[in-house]
């Protein structure tokens, strides 16, 4: 099975092949790969793909501590519509 076209980050359409290319270019932590590929930087802010990226990096480099360069969570923690903001429901 060819996994190179497998999409890891749906929001930014980052594929497994792009992760591999970033890793081969010297990016060895999740944060470095994020900066190179934009994985976890889309609309969901990594809520969908962050764990997968962390696990993939750990699989590639198991001797690296899991918290070597942790990815941060960015607001909003949950999606909020402009209508909710305008009505003061948040």
């Amino acid at each position: 099975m060819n996994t190179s076209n497998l999409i890891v980050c749906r929001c930014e359409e980052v594929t497994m092949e792009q992760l591999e290319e970033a890793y081969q270019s010297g990016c060895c932590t999740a944060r470095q790969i994020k900066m190179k590929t934009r994985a976890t930087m889309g609309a969901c802010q990594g809520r969908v793909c962050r764990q997968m990226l962390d696990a993939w990096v750990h699989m590639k480099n198991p001797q690296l501590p899991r918290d070597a360069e942790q990815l941060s969570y960015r607001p909003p923690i949950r999606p909020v519509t402009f209508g909710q903001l305008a009505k003061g429901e948040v």
Side-chain angles (χ1 to χ4, degrees), residues 14-74:
V14 178
T15 64
M16 187 66 73
E17 181 178 26
Q18 289 170 302
L19 294 184
E20 287 287 349
E21 289 171 1
Y23 187 81
Q24 294 302 320
S25 75
C27 300
C28 60
T29 66
R31 186 174 191 295
Q32 291 170 344
I33 290 173
K34 171 184 177 176
M35 294 298 121
K36 180 89 171 177
T37 65
R38 293 195 49 82
T40 77
M41 294 176 78
C44 81
Q45 292 294 293
R47 284 186 295 276
V48 175
C49 59
R50 179 181 172 166
Q51 289 180 334
M52 190 178 347
L53 178 60
D54 285 338
W56 184 83
V57 168
H58 183 69
M59 179 194 70
K60 294 296 272 186
N61 201 354
Q63 68 275 12
L64 189 70
R66 279 199 181 253
D67 59 351
E69 274 188 317
Q70 288 186 329
L71 298 178
S72 60
Y73 286 101
R74 301 282 185 194

